[in-house]
Amino acid sequence: MIDIHTHLLPGVDDGSPSFDVSLAVLERFAEQGVSTLVCTPHLNAAQASQAPVVRHQELFAELQQRAPSGMTLQLGWEIMLDSPNVDLTAPELSLGHSRAVLVEFTRGGLPRGASAELRRIARAGRTPVLAHPERYFGCTLEAVREWRKLGVVIQTDASVLMGRGVPSELARDMLAEGLIDILASDNHGDSRSLASARDWLLERGGEEQAVLLTFANADSVLSDEDPLPVPPLRSGLMDRVKRIFGR
């Protein structure tokens, strides 16, 4: 598996507070089958030109040196689009050494011009990977369809698929429509993982979806290739019953 969205660079944001916590998560991920992981600390677009690149590279080098054998680490950011028209083309703002940039909006609601901003990033030669759209108040399936037509890659948080509430329902509806390109853990030094979503998909007969969502499409994006289409995976009768009765 490949996890392109984690907050395991220690002590830099609201994610992992220490190397010990990060390394424990990395060991668990390695046991579960994660071969490549991207550290994506938070960054506001308005502060992109003052991003602490050197400090993060130093921390990353130490984490990489202490990571489990056989696991590849890469460095990137999760960029909050808090200000429009910011130049995000600097190589150090990308996911690893790719053209992809992981971006997000606030949970409070999609800003006016959200689609235009994503289009602008794509036209600047970057591949916008939109983190957890299921979280954003006002997000709809129609909006997700529009963004994907603009060249936006849709990344959903793995744990949301198995949750309850509006974000989880939207995520499962997106899965049923084939609108999710990549799953990621968004781990903050906690128990979240890709493995739980992979197993959830396999239990529902989603072998092809599991491969595409937890490995192949992330590999493609990090290699500057287009993600492959993910076949729709619709919930069965028992899933709907469990959702209704909360069991």
Side-chain angles (χ1 to χ4, degrees):
M1 294 184 290
I2 296 176
D3 197 341
I4 67 165
H5 181 178
T6 72
H7 296 271
L8 294 175
L9 197 66
V12 299
D13 59 9
D14 61 344
S16 170
S18 67
F19 279 101
D20 287 344
V21 170
S22 295
L23 291 170
V25 174
L26 292 180
E27 291 287 354
R28 176 165 55 87
F29 278 14
E31 293 173 359
Q32 293 172 344
V34 174
S35 58
T36 299
L37 178 142
V38 188
C39 296
T40 54
H42 290 293
L43 176 68
N44 289 339
Q47 279 78 50
S49 61
Q50 293 86 41
V53 174
V54 174
R55 177 56 178 155
H56 283 199
Q57 288 174 339
E58 292 171 348
L59 292 167
F60 177 75
E62 181 174 352
L63 185 65
Q64 189 174 39
Q65 185 178 20
R66 298 170 63 181
S69 176
M71 176 180 282
T72 299
L73 301 188
Q74 298 189 37
L75 185 59
W77 303 86
E78 181 184 16
I79 303 174
M80 172 69 71
L81 298 177
D82 63 331
S83 181
N85 302 314
V86 174
D87 183 1
L88 301 179
T89 60
E92 59 268 22
L93 298 179
S94 298
L95 293 176
H97 303 289
S98 72
R99 293 195 303 265
V101 288
L102 183 67
V103 297
E104 67 171 336
F105 295 113
T106 66
R107 292 194 186 192
L110 292 170
R112 183 176 299 176
S115 295
E117 183 65 8
L118 293 171
R119 181 188 297 111
R120 181 193 66 81
I121 295 170
R123 287 180 174 176
R126 292 300 179 208
T127 301
V129 180
L130 183 59
H132 40 59
E134 66 278 357
R135 287 188 186 181
Y136 308 137
F137 182 79
C139 181
T140 63
L141 294 178
E142 290 72 21
V144 175
R145 292 190 191 99
E146 177 186 358
W147 295 332
R148 295 179 82 244
K149 289 178 182 178
L150 298 176
V152 177
V153 175
I154 301 300
Q155 178 260 297
T156 288
D157 283 359
S159 61
V160 175
L161 283 179
M162 298 159 283
R164 299 175 62 184
V166 173
S168 293
E169 291 175 5
L170 178 57
R172 287 189 288 265
D173 287 343
M174 289 164 57
L175 183 67
E177 296 292 332
L179 297 178
I180 300 174
D181 297 300
I182 295 173
L183 292 174
S185 71
D186 195 5
N187 185 286
H188 279 60
D190 48 46
S191 63
R192 284 176 283 183
S193 73
L194 268 179
S196 56
R198 176 197 59 194
D199 295 345
W200 185 88
L201 291 167
L202 293 176
E203 288 172 0
R204 286 153 180 79
E207 290 84 0
E208 182 178 4
Q209 290 86 350
V211 171
L212 291 168
L213 291 169
T214 68
F215 175 74
N217 281 347
D219 186 51
S220 293
V221 168
L222 293 176
S223 302
D224 291 332
E225 299 174 358
D226 292 334
L228 296 170
V230 178
L233 182 65
R234 293 178 170 84
S235 297
L237 174 61
M238 287 308 299
D239 283 337
R240 291 195 293 271
V241 170
K242 289 178 182 178
R243 193 185 309 175
I244 292 171
F245 292 99
R247 298 177 181 175

